[in-house]
Amino acid sequence: MTQASSPPAVSIRNVAKSFGKGIYAFRVLDDVSLDIGRREFFTLLGPSGCGKTTLLRLIAGFETADSGAISIEGEDVTARPPFHRPVNTVFQSYALFPHLTVEQNVAFALEEQGMARDAIRKRVGEALEMMRMGSFAKRKPAELSGGQQQRVALARALAPRPRVLLLDEPLSALDLKLRKEMQIELKMLQEEAGITFLFVTHDQEEALTLSDRVAVMQSGRILQMGPPREIYETPTHRFVADFIGDINLLDGEALPGGGVRLEGGTVLSAPHNASGKVTVAIRPERARLAPAGEGALEATVVHSAYLGTAMLHKLDLPGGGTFLLRQSDPTEAAPEAGSRVGLALPAEALRVLDR
Amino acid sequence: MNPQRFPFTRETSLFVLAYLYVPVVVLIAYSFNANRTATVWTHASLDWYGRILVNPSIQSAAWNSLVIAVSAATAATVLALLAALATRRAFLGCGASEAILNMPLILPEIAVAVATLLLFVSLGVKLGLGAMVAAHTAFCIPFAYLPIRARLDGISGTYEEAAHDLYANRFRTFRRVTMPLLWPGVMAGFTLAFVTSLDDFLTSFFLAGPGLTTLPVYIFSAIRAGITPEINAISAVMLVVSVLLVSLSFFLGRLRR
């Protein structure tokens, strides 16, 4: 069987899930479908309550879908309990068994699978070594720091060599520095282990850094799915554009045949095939400063911040609203606060989105 | 002194402590009294402790108390554990079930004891050890249930999800994760039930039947013949045992892992 024709690592078809009953029912997932490729680092990204964790729990088997089907490497697991699914989970709280040592935690799944004792010892050793936790084998979880517990949780979930590793906001309990280190480590680990990772996070930066593909979720639906660059540069929804990174959103009306009339009356030339009310989106680093009177828009400089690698200007638009502009060369002459400047908005940098 | 404190906090506390513990201190002090009359102090002695050790009726009463307490506490703990697991997830009537389980804490014991006696007599159940164990089990359930339930509430459901995720089915998860984590609560519940049964007088008195006594029943009948230092000594022993066991129960209940 060739790679191209083999079934995806995870396939989700029209899955819906509600919590509560009757008039209290709340739809957490609304007709979600997606395929995750083998060895892919796939991230579910969205604000809290968007359904990303519920989707992960459905794949793990902790929840059952109201409708739809879930299969793992071509096998339908929709009706299987979690202990009969070839996936393992790294929990947000790690959920290391407090009464067992590090080594017993890592051996747990292998023992349940009925592996021979020698093989277990070898596999546990390897898993702990891979996470550089070999010298902590006899400790109890309570004697470890947060970062160490995180490594043990990873070792425990990877030891049975699952088809898919599910990670439920695993880095959210760590401080910023440790978090950055673990991000790099996770990415390397995924490449090394050659296992499909399904990662859940609300941190857009984390999602962009780590993932091969990202699915942005809101209110139980997937709004956009694609590689980080595509999500960042060509968002298809106002929500996606706003949620990922900094962006300027200018409301206006689509003109037939291209172009958008902004609320201030200015007409921007931006290609589109929309109609009615739209939002023009442009990233701060794609806009350019121009001499006053030139460019598509006029603005007043409110504040400039020196970021080392760039200058970030906060501008006031005459029709109200602010505009962020990132000047990528900080050694360039910067306009003074209070001065009037023009904004050059390249047509290819503008995204026209439905409102 | 902390300026935020109410005035006389120290004095009030001392008074309450004295109010609670002076009788106990007197009891223990007089159990070391050499004088035959329990209320007249002569000099210190361990005679009475020596006598209760060799007194056959006290020995048999203590043995009965122990047998009943172990049996009743074991049965109550098993039932309470099942009840705690069953009421873990809310269901319709969950609150009512818990209230019914804890009813023995509120019901007047005399009424329950009389009712049990009437029931056993009308059913033709022979009074004695078996009847006492059955009755003790019933009122011990809430004492075993409360610590187990508190422990269970403190165990995150994520541990069980993690065990399922690591290929342990429901039975294996219970055996390898839930039960070990629950164990201190179970021991605390057992200890509390044990002490409750050991100290019980009313129910035992009604259901004892001919020729069978427990320690509290023995003390009650002995005291009608007059307070002797022997009674003081048995009471002191029971008191110390109870305090130790209840302390053990609290310690186990608070055990982290």
Side-chain angles (χ1 to χ4, degrees):
Chain A
M1 197 187 259
T2 63
Q3 190 66 32
S5 63
S6 66
V10 179
S11 171
I12 291 168
R13 287 284 162 270
N14 310 104
V15 162
K17 173 77 182 168
S18 298
F19 287 123
K21 281 184 187 153
I23 56 162
Y24 299 109
F26 177 73
R27 188 151 261 226
V28 205
L29 287 176
D30 194 2
D31 194 29
V32 170
S33 296
L34 63 86
D35 282 330
I36 301 172
R38 298 208 180 173
R39 302 187 164 209
E40 195 173 18
F41 199 123
F42 190 93
T43 299
L44 296 172
L45 172 67
S48 58
C50 72
K52 57 190 191 302
T53 296
T54 305
L55 188 52
L56 177 131
R57 291 174 58 80
L58 282 169
I59 298 169
F62 304 140
E63 311 278 356
T64 28
D66 298 340
S67 60
I70 297 170
S71 44
I72 293 165
E73 297 201 347
E75 278 180 71
D76 189 331
V77 298
T78 317
R80 285 200 212 164
F83 39 89
H84 289 147
R85 297 186 184 206
V87 299
N88 289 125
T89 309
V90 177
F91 294 86
Q92 187 171 9
S93 60
Y94 313 141
L96 297 175
F97 303 126
H99 59 296
L100 301 180
T101 63
V102 164
E103 156 180 87
Q104 289 168 332
N105 264 282
V106 178
F108 191 97
L110 309 175
E111 286 162 6
E112 290 302 323
Q113 286 176 321
M115 196 185 266
R117 191 170 293 191
D118 287 347
I120 292 179
R121 196 175 310 129
K122 190 158 165 283
R123 187 78 75 82
V124 168
E126 285 167 8
L128 287 177
E129 229 31 73
M130 186 162 69
M131 298 315 301
R132 299 199 310 278
M133 288 299 292
S135 52
F136 296 91
K138 306 286 183 205
R139 300 261 191 107
K140 288 279 181 75
E143 300 167 68
L144 303 178
S145 72
Q148 290 167 337
Q149 290 186 21
Q150 167 80 86
R151 285 166 200 279
V152 176
L154 275 164
R156 183 178 75 172
L158 285 169
R161 303 201 178 138
R163 305 289 168 74
V164 182
L165 186 72
L166 307 173
L167 302 109
D168 183 12
E169 308 221 13
L171 306 180
S172 61
L174 303 178
D175 62 51
L176 189 66
K177 188 166 174 289
L178 201 55
R179 197 174 170 143
K180 295 279 176 204
E181 285 172 25
M182 281 307 293
Q183 284 180 8
I184 298 165
E185 208 163 316
L186 264 185
K187 185 70 187 168
M188 285 166 58
L189 188 67
Q190 192 252 343
E191 283 160 12
E192 203 180 315
I195 290 176
T196 308
F197 274 34
L198 175 62
F199 191 84
V200 163
T201 185
H202 63 265
D203 182 332
Q204 45 98 9
E205 201 187 321
E206 199 166 273
L208 297 185
T209 319
L210 293 172
S211 318
D212 296 319
R213 275 197 307 152
V214 178
V216 184
M217 295 184 67
Q218 187 205 15
S219 311
R221 291 166 199 266
I222 293 177
L223 293 183
Q224 190 176 0
M225 188 155 43
R229 178 182 288 267
E230 191 181 302
I231 301 277
Y232 184 81
E233 287 179 6
T234 54
T236 54
H237 290 77
R238 188 193 157 103
F239 177 84
V240 176
D242 200 16
F243 192 70
I244 314 264
D246 288 329
I247 200 155
N248 297 297
L249 299 170
L250 309 166
D251 289 341
E253 191 132 0
L255 299 174
V260 174
R261 187 196 316 262
L262 297 185
E263 275 166 4
T266 322
V267 173
L268 290 181
S269 61
H272 67 79
N273 41 26
S275 60
K277 292 184 166 187
V278 291
T279 295
V280 179
I282 181 166
R283 296 282 175 196
E285 65 274 16
R286 302 294 298 273
R288 298 255 175 285
L289 286 175
E294 289 177 33
L297 288 173
E298 287 276 298
T300 314
V301 179
V302 180
H303 178 75
S304 298
Y306 174 72
L307 304 177
T309 52
M311 289 283 288
L312 189 66
H313 303 293
K314 194 176 159 197
L315 313 162
D316 259 350
L317 295 175
T322 55
F323 192 97
L324 284 176
L325 188 146
R326 195 180 164 96
Q327 192 180 346
S328 51
D329 184 356
T331 57
E332 242 173 59
E336 294 200 3
S339 62
R340 289 184 70 73
V341 291
L343 293 176
L345 309 175
E348 72 277 8
L350 298 175
R351 293 286 300 168
V352 179
L353 306 169
D354 286 327
R355 230 190 309 159
Chain B
M1 199 174 121
N2 188 341
Q4 299 238 311
R5 259 202 200 163
F6 288 105
F8 306 116
T9 303
R10 181 194 302 260
E11 291 77 2
T12 316
S13 311
L14 287 174
F15 172 75
V16 172
L17 277 176
Y19 177 73
L20 288 174
Y21 292 106
V22 162
V24 174
V25 172
V26 169
L27 170 92
I28 293 176
Y30 275 103
S31 72
F32 294 106
N33 186 6
N35 198 303
R36 166 100 230 140
T37 316
T39 48
V40 180
W41 181 265
T42 45
H43 62 90
S45 133
L46 282 172
D47 279 2
W48 304 110
Y49 286 94
R51 282 212 207 171
I52 62 170
L53 280 179
V54 295
N55 183 331
S57 39
I58 292 180
Q59 279 176 355
S60 86
W63 177 249
N64 289 335
S65 277
L66 214 61
V67 168
I68 293 168
V70 168
S71 318
T74 306
T77 306
V78 170
L79 293 172
L81 174 63
L82 296 175
L85 291 169
T87 52
R88 190 174 185 188
R89 283 186 185 82
F91 56 90
L92 192 70
C94 179
S97 311
E98 275 201 84
I100 290 170
L101 272 172
N102 291 329
M103 201 67 96
L105 292 177
I106 313 155
L107 289 178
E109 198 191 340
I110 181 81
V112 178
V114 169
T116 314
L117 177 67
L118 289 176
L119 179 74
F120 282 176
V121 168
S122 65
L123 288 178
V125 176
K126 196 167 153 279
L127 296 183
L129 217 56
M132 285 162 86
V133 169
H136 276 227
T137 300
F139 71 72
C140 283
I141 288 175
F143 293 94
Y145 174 81
L146 292 174
I148 295 176
R149 180 58 203 261
R151 182 78 190 180
L152 197 59
D153 285 344
I155 299 175
S156 157
T158 318
Y159 292 127
E160 281 154 333
E161 280 183 355
H164 286 327
D165 190 63
L166 299 165
Y167 312 115
N169 61 27
R170 284 176 192 89
F171 173 73
R172 298 280 303 165
T173 298
F174 181 75
R175 210 176 74 79
R176 295 195 69 185
V177 176
T178 317
M179 201 53 204
L181 292 176
L182 204 51
W183 194 241
V186 172
M187 287 312 291
F190 175 85
T191 314
L192 221 52
F194 181 86
V195 171
T196 308
S197 164
L198 199 67
D199 290 351
D200 178 74
F201 168 72
L202 267 176
T203 305
S204 305
F205 185 69
F206 276 77
L207 301 178
L212 193 90
T213 49
T214 62
L215 271 183
V217 174
Y218 174 84
I219 293 172
F220 176 75
S221 42
I223 221 161
R224 282 192 296 194
I227 302 174
T228 65
E230 212 169 11
I231 300 291
N232 283 355
I234 312 171
S235 305
V237 169
M238 285 192 69
L239 188 87
V240 170
V241 168
S242 297
V243 168
L244 284 180
L245 287 175
V246 171
S247 312
L248 178 72
S249 159
F250 271 106
F251 173 74
L252 286 169
R254 296 184 60 167
L255 210 61
R256 274 178 172 256
R257 33 203 57 155

